[in-house]
Amino acid sequence: MLSIYFGDYSGANYIDNPDLYFDNTYEDEWLEDERSKEMVRDIDRSELVSPNLVVSPVLGSVSINRLSGGVKTLIQIANDSEHVYNASACGDNCAKWLLKIGREKDILVRMGHMMHFADSDGEQIDIRIDNSGEIVHSQSELNNKVIVAGLLDGGGDV
Amino acid sequence: MTGKYDVVLYNNKLHYHLTINRNITILRGYSASGKSELIRLLSAHNGNPASSGITLVCDRKCIVLTEENWKLYSCTYPEKLKEYQGRSARMIVSPGSCKSIVYDLTKLCEKYDVNVLCIVPVFPFFVTKEKIYNINKFLAYFRNRLFRGTIPTIVSYECSGGLVYDMMDWLPLTPMVNTTYTYEDYLKICLNPQKYLSSDLKNVHWGVFYNFNNSKKEFPCAELQDITVCFPHDNDCDGIAEKWQIYRRNINWNLLLYLMVRREQNIPIHVIKEFSK
């Protein structure tokens, strides 16, 4: 299941800047995975040809480092369970992929903003709020729990 | 910031054209929509403007503040106070982190011998030897320029409604200025404002009321139909009923604005649900 910690996460395994972390730590096998290719196709509208090459309709043939911050974060979340990644680096078009990965295995991410999961193709939402342990099944339920508990009121970073 | 600025930034593949007309403009969007590329392009241009192959067209200097260099910039700008050495300057400091800013300013003013009148909106009154300034009176002029429409009657759970009138320099169109209620009583007013706001106060007395931090305190209180109104900012029971009567004559029944405020405590979920109805 997808677990989200809202607010400032202080664990030693927390990665605040997944974009930068990816550039310096990614493993080739992560990029050979069919799901990574699908995510790049869906989010970046680009073709992940090999671990060293991405073909973008806008930028042309570019290196892996030029993938979007959102898709880099998703690839890491899918492949590296040792770290807690800052999912606020992801745009709302990454929401359905977070849910999809969460349906296949237990993942924990951190968020400093409210992501819109409701647009995720009308699929059932199952999200665990890590701060309280509560499980929610809709966007409005998630909004209510997070706002009422003031989980994003800390004034910390997004 | 005055006016608006066009920023054009391009290379052989990408072309950005932004019009910025706010002090802070937030760029947001889906992943892969080009936010990071914009920053990367601007940063590369600034690193070597002439031979980067990237063109920037803007009337103002555009820089990228990163996690490494923002502290350097934020330390450098206050040093501009040096330009005012031996002269006077006026500043309005936003309330975000006013304590540290005012502390730093005081130190720098001593260092550079600058006479600064520093006004912080969270403290509405600023007292000098000659005059008492009310910063909200100054700022209300600008705030009112952004306001369109008629002034509402604010049906407020506590004194924040009065603060809004004060910040806009409006005559309060409500008798609820500087009053507070239990959640249950406030919801009763919301459900039937005509009944309660058309009534006079009765039996003004000193009563025990729970403060926002749940501490018990004695305040002037009064009966209003079947609810209790508390006046936490008043020290005297005299004149409270008359004041209520005078203010309620000004109510704008065509525009009631309901204001629920959370202080230290969380508002119970059942109250939020009732209020949202």
Side-chain angles (χ1 to χ4, degrees):
Chain A
M1 183 184 286
L2 167 63
S3 295
I4 304 175
Y5 186 92
F6 287 94
D8 291 336
Y9 188 84
S10 53
N13 59 342
Y14 173 56
I15 305 297
D16 181 51
N17 187 342
D19 191 337
L20 179 66
Y21 191 76
F22 177 92
D23 290 348
N24 297 294
T25 62
Y26 77 85
E27 291 174 22
D28 286 356
E29 63 189 60
W30 297 355
L31 304 170
E32 286 160 357
D33 181 43
E34 196 47 47
R35 184 173 46 198
S36 298
K37 292 182 182 179
E38 267 183 60
M39 290 193 292
V40 172
R41 209 172 291 135
D42 177 46
I43 292 165
D44 287 12
R45 308 271 182 240
S46 300
E47 212 50 53
L48 179 54
V49 179
S50 79
N52 301 307
L53 179 66
V54 176
V55 178
S56 155
V58 178
L59 303 169
S61 299
V62 293
S63 82
I64 300 301
N65 295 357
R66 299 285 284 277
L67 286 172
S68 69
V71 90
K72 285 179 186 174
T73 308
L74 287 174
I75 292 172
Q76 289 174 113
I77 291 168
N79 291 284
D80 170 18
S81 47
E82 283 178 21
H83 293 97
V84 175
Y85 288 94
N86 180 11
S88 278
C90 296
D92 287 346
N93 53 342
C94 298
K96 69 173 181 187
W97 287 102
L98 280 174
L99 291 169
K100 205 171 271 189
I101 299 167
R103 272 193 286 275
E104 290 169 18
K105 62 175 188 172
D106 288 338
I107 52 171
L108 171 62
V109 299
R110 176 265 174 191
M111 272 186 202
H113 80 299
M114 185 56 77
M115 183 174 267
H116 294 277
F117 290 96
D119 298 333
S120 308
D121 297 339
E123 290 175 20
Q124 163 86 21
I125 292 175
D126 294 306
I127 296 172
R128 182 177 166 277
I129 300 172
D130 192 59
N131 310 57
S132 59
E134 291 171 292
I135 294 171
V136 296
H137 303 287
S138 70
Q139 181 77 48
S140 61
E141 204 184 343
L142 178 67
N143 292 351
N144 277 340
K145 299 274 183 202
V146 171
I147 291 165
V148 168
L151 300 180
L152 295 175
D153 289 356
D157 296 334
V158 172
Chain B
M1 192 170 104
T2 312
K4 54 185 182 180
Y5 293 96
D6 281 331
V7 181
V8 177
L9 184 71
Y10 61 90
N11 66 1
N12 56 344
K13 301 276 186 186
L14 298 164
H15 191 129
Y16 292 93
H17 183 178
L18 312 169
T19 303
I20 293 175
N21 56 8
R22 291 277 184 277
N23 279 6
I24 295 177
T25 300
I26 296 175
L27 213 59
R28 63 188 295 275
Y30 280 170
S31 289
S33 55
K35 306 178 294 286
S36 306
E37 276 299 309
L38 169 68
I39 302 302
R40 196 191 66 78
L41 220 59
L42 182 57
S43 191
H45 170 270
N46 289 345
N48 200 337
S51 55
S52 63
I54 301 161
T55 306
L56 171 68
V57 184
C58 185
D59 291 343
R60 287 284 183 271
K61 191 175 179 184
C62 300
I63 55 170
V64 176
L65 292 180
T66 64
E67 284 173 62
E68 303 88 62
N69 71 10
W70 74 267
K71 273 191 177 167
L72 182 68
Y73 276 101
S74 59
C75 291
T76 309
Y77 277 104
E79 293 286 320
K80 286 180 82 67
L81 268 181
K82 252 195 274 190
E83 295 169 16
Y84 291 87
Q85 200 150 11
R87 294 159 55 198
S88 296
R90 292 177 189 176
M91 291 184 193
I92 295 175
V93 175
S94 70
S97 55
C98 57
K99 276 185 190 166
S100 60
I101 295 173
V102 172
Y103 177 81
D104 290 346
L105 271 175
T106 312
K107 291 275 170 205
L108 284 163
C109 289
E110 276 175 22
K111 187 175 166 187
Y112 297 130
D113 181 30
V114 179
N115 176 21
V116 166
L117 170 60
C118 182
I119 296 171
V120 184
V122 280
F123 308 111
F125 293 102
F126 184 85
V127 183
T128 66
K129 280 179 205 163
E130 298 86 25
K131 225 172 176 179
I132 297 174
Y133 296 88
N134 182 345
I135 179 63
N136 274 327
K137 298 271 184 213
F138 300 173
L139 295 179
Y141 169 77
F142 300 103
R143 290 177 183 137
N144 275 295
R145 292 187 68 168
L146 300 172
F147 180 79
R148 298 279 182 278
T150 54
I151 300 173
T153 281
I154 301 175
V155 180
S156 178
Y157 165 65
E158 43 81 283
C159 50
S160 298
L163 277 177
V164 174
Y165 286 110
D166 188 43
M167 292 172 83
M168 298 300 285
D169 198 22
W170 290 338
L171 175 76
L173 302 188
T174 172
M176 299 173 79
V177 170
N178 290 341
T179 60
T180 192
Y181 311 81
T182 61
Y183 289 128
E184 289 71 23
D185 284 355
Y186 175 65
L187 290 174
K188 283 183 186 174
I189 300 177
C190 293
L191 286 170
N192 198 345
Q194 194 84 35
K195 173 185 170 185
Y196 291 98
L197 300 184
S198 301
S199 304
D200 286 334
L201 295 179
K202 285 184 184 153
N203 187 21
V204 181
H205 60 283
W206 282 93
V208 173
F209 205 85
Y210 284 92
N211 210 351
F212 299 114
N213 55 9
N214 225 10
S215 61
K216 265 189 196 174
K217 236 183 149 183
E218 274 209 5
F219 298 117
C221 293
E223 288 170 15
L224 177 69
Q225 299 278 0
D226 57 340
I227 68 168
T228 303
V229 184
C230 176
F231 295 81
H233 295 289
D234 285 77
N235 301 317
D236 201 336
C237 291
D238 291 346
I240 280 178
E242 290 76 11
K243 208 162 59 179
W244 178 277
Q245 203 176 26
I246 291 167
Y247 277 129
R248 76 178 175 75
R249 287 181 202 144
N250 300 329
I251 293 173
N252 179 0
W253 290 108
N254 295 320
L255 189 57
L256 298 179
L257 193 144
Y258 297 88
L259 184 65
M260 177 66 113
V261 179
R262 191 188 77 180
R263 291 286 179 104
E264 284 81 2
Q265 290 174 297
N266 285 332
I267 302 171
I269 187 71
H270 72 274
V271 176
I272 293 178
K273 280 182 182 165
E274 280 299 311
F275 181 69
S276 62
K277 287 178 187 169

